[in-house]
Amino acid sequence: MVWFLFFMLSCITRHDYLYGQYLVNQKVEVFAIGSPHQKSSWTIEPNIRICSDTKVTSFRASQAVRYWEKLGYKFGSVFTDNSPFCMNARFGEILITLPESGFGDHHMASTTTYTRIDSDTIVKAKISILPKYARKERVLEHEIGHALGWAHYSQKYHMMHPNWFLGG
């Protein structure tokens, strides 16, 4: 009887760490005031360029992009840049790179978006991520959300929650 219980528990927890499973349409009952806020948006389909130093693989970035594609967003290509000068985002891309000096240890990653002043559309974005969080579930999805213009949203289990333990 005990072996059956262990078998059932292992089947349940086996899926907790798979990157490919996103329960986008699952309803979760929580209380939150307001709704998510998108500060700005892209007018083109951004490419995703990954600096090889970050330890983010093209496969992992593609999985994160797929999360947002399921929500209706479109992207260009996802590729890795092996150049030692891979640190500045170019027009029309989301760059995934290492953080610059002064990046606090209390952050897993950070995103900066660059917008046009006259139209508030995003022209480029830069995701800075520490290599030890490159494969951590939801971190890249959350940061791509910021690169798409989404602000933090303090609803429990929401992808854009500011606290990783509570969903974001």
Side-chain angles (χ1 to χ4, degrees), residues 6-166:
F6 284 115
F7 174 76
M8 291 304 294
L9 289 175
S10 68
C11 289
I12 293 169
T13 59
R14 183 176 66 87
H15 299 291
D16 287 349
Y17 301 102
L18 291 178
Y19 289 111
Q21 282 193 320
Y22 298 104
L23 303 174
V24 175
N25 296 322
Q26 181 182 7
K27 292 184 179 179
V28 178
E29 291 189 32
V30 295
F31 178 76
I33 297 173
S35 60
H37 175 68
Q38 189 174 20
K39 297 189 265 187
S40 48
S41 61
W42 291 83
T43 56
I44 61 171
E45 297 175 5
N47 292 319
I48 310 286
R49 182 167 55 110
I50 309 157
C51 297
S52 59
D53 299 5
T54 63
K55 306 301 183 212
V56 173
T57 64
S58 292
F59 178 74
R60 177 67 189 103
S62 295
Q63 288 177 318
V65 163
R66 210 167 19 256
Y67 172 86
W68 289 100
E69 286 176 335
K70 288 179 181 179
L71 296 174
Y73 290 91
K74 296 190 184 293
F75 297 86
S77 58
V78 176
F79 61 98
T80 302
D81 185 347
N82 293 313
S83 165
F85 306 107
C86 180
M87 53 194 321
N88 295 316
R90 299 176 189 142
F91 178 84
E93 77 176 5
I94 298 171
L95 175 68
I96 302 172
T97 187
L98 291 172
E100 296 173 10
S101 62
F103 190 79
D105 284 340
H106 60 283
H107 286 92
M108 294 182 194
S110 176
T111 300
T112 304
T113 55
Y114 301 85
T115 58
R116 290 179 52 103
I117 295 171
D118 60 345
S119 63
D120 208 29
T121 57
I122 303 170
V123 295
K124 62 183 179 177
K126 181 178 180 179
I127 297 173
S128 300
I129 187 167
L130 292 169
K132 64 183 178 181
Y133 299 117
R135 293 187 179 129
K136 195 164 184 79
E137 190 175 2
R138 297 186 319 275
V139 173
L140 203 49
E141 287 82 353
H142 177 91
E143 295 306 323
I144 289 175
H146 285 309
L148 293 172
W150 289 101
H152 281 142
Y153 183 56
S154 294
Q155 178 178 326
K156 211 173 190 184
Y157 308 118
H158 194 279
M159 179 60 70
M160 295 311 297
H161 196 286
N163 187 320
W164 184 85
F165 292 104
L166 296 175

